[in-house]
Amino acid sequence: MVDFKNSDDLISQLEKTIDNPKKVNKDEELLVGVDLGTAYIVIVVLDKDKNPVACEMEFAQVIRDGLVVDYIGAMNIVRKLKKNIEEKIGTDLTKAAIAVPPGTGEKDSKTHRYVVEGAGLEVVNILDEPTAANEVLNITDGAIVDIGGGTTGLSIIEDKNVVYVADEATGGTHLTLVVAGSYKMKFEDAENFKKSKDKQSEVFPVVIPVIQKMASIVHNHIQKYDVKELYLVGGTSCLEGIETVIEKETKVKTIKPKNPFLVTPLGIAMNCKI
């Protein structure tokens, strides 16, 4: 099993910068990652030694199943987050890496690029989300399962090489829809209810069928490979107990690092070429 001590320490440092970003010199080289997620848009900034500098995020419904459905809305959010960070750290952000769900076509990848470039950042690298996550986790063998707002993606790794990627619709948005229907709530209220720490034990039994669907997706894609461990990342993986259901359904040991939500955006920033 992978020792997450280093990655957990890095994530802890990144968490601190959400409320306490670091000031930097105007000429300092920075690594920037923009994560255009179904539920959240996140920008992570690191220094050239990959130490966290800043992190900004905003809830948004401008991406659906990895596709940009509100180009102007997405661009405006990225521009706003970029400006917020620049004002806090004291310098301009100029270049960024981005990531897309596994199997995203060239046309849709370009749309992600255009959003970020339209917000004033030169895109210097595009990679798939689970591969970005592994920049943080350093997994040699196993499968990274990235459960975001709209999709469940996975990347199977053998001897440090990605040998298979896949992505299917079903993610945190589907959990929220179930909560909204069960409690007769508006979507936004259900999203907040689902994420509330003191409500998770109440929400969990309600959303188990959706988690089982996610597990089924993973199970179907790993059948032809000798996967001994699954590693969960993505915002939906923060749900308490999700790893237990996935392990039970897939019969594969399932591991969750510290704050799975930040793993992928951190890995995207680490892949920024300066």
Side-chain angles (χ1 to χ4, degrees), residues 29 66 101 132 134 160 194 198 204 237 255:
E29 292 181 331
N134 201 35
K160 297 185 179 180
K194 178 190 75 176
D198 61 351
F204 190 71
S237 296
I255 302 155

Side-chain angles (χ1 to χ4, degrees), residues 4 7-8 11 137 231-233 237 255-261 263:
F4 285 138
S7 60
D8 284 352
I11 291 168
L137 303 179
Y231 300 88
L232 301 187
V233 299
S237 296
I255 302 155
K256 187 163 72 173
K258 177 181 175 61
N259 198 340
F261 172 67
V263 172

Side-chain angles (χ1 to χ4, degrees), residues 39-40 49 97 107 109 124 217 223 226 229 239:
Y40 281 86
D49 297 319
K107 182 179 178 181
S109 295
V124 294
I217 290 171
Q223 285 303 292
D226 184 24
E229 292 174 332
L239 183 67

Side-chain angles (χ1 to χ4, degrees), residues 114-213:
Y114 296 151
V115 165
V116 175
E117 289 183 340
L121 289 161
E122 178 190 354
V123 175
V124 294
N125 196 11
I126 303 176
L127 59 158
D128 74 76
E129 292 164 347
T131 299
N134 201 35
E135 187 73 20
V136 180
L137 303 179
N138 293 310
I139 293 164
T140 302
D141 295 282
I144 296 176
V145 180
D146 191 337
I147 310 176
T151 63
T152 296
L154 72 151
S155 182
I156 297 176
I157 299 165
E158 294 179 353
D159 194 24
K160 297 185 179 180
N161 297 310
V162 177
V163 297
Y164 179 81
V165 296
D167 192 66
E168 288 192 33
T170 300
T173 297
H174 301 80
L175 298 182
T176 304
L177 289 170
V178 169
V179 172
S182 298
Y183 290 92
K184 305 296 186 286
M185 292 178 174
K186 292 181 179 179
F187 181 88
E188 292 78 9
D189 294 334
E191 176 72 14
N192 291 328
F193 189 83
K194 178 190 75 176
K195 293 187 302 181
S196 176
K197 285 287 186 184
D198 61 351
K199 297 294 184 183
Q200 292 210 350
S201 60
E202 180 181 343
V203 166
F204 190 71
V206 176
V207 299
I208 281 180
V210 186
I211 300 172
Q212 290 172 327
K213 168 64 175 174

Side-chain angles (χ1 to χ4, degrees), residues 11-37:
I11 291 168
S12 294
Q13 292 176 43
L14 181 60
E15 288 176 326
K16 292 176 182 177
T17 68
I18 294 173
D19 295 319
N20 296 290
K22 301 176 182 177
K23 287 283 187 180
V24 298
N25 297 324
K26 285 191 174 294
D27 58 350
E28 187 168 343
E29 292 181 331
L30 297 172
L31 307 176
V32 181
V34 180
D35 188 357
L36 300 176

Side-chain angles (χ1 to χ4, degrees), residues 67-81:
L67 307 178
V68 179
V69 295
D70 181 356
Y71 177 86
I72 299 300
M75 185 175 64
N76 286 339
I77 292 171
V78 174
R79 184 182 289 124
K80 181 173 74 172
L81 296 178

Side-chain angles (χ1 to χ4, degrees), residues 83-113:
K83 182 180 179 182
N84 289 347
I85 290 175
E86 289 172 339
E87 290 176 348
K88 291 175 181 178
I89 68 175
T91 191
D92 293 338
L93 306 180
T94 58
K95 299 178 180 180
I98 63 173
V100 295
T104 301
E106 183 179 353
K107 182 179 178 181
D108 294 318
S109 295
K110 284 183 177 178
T111 306
H112 283 67
R113 173 193 286 272

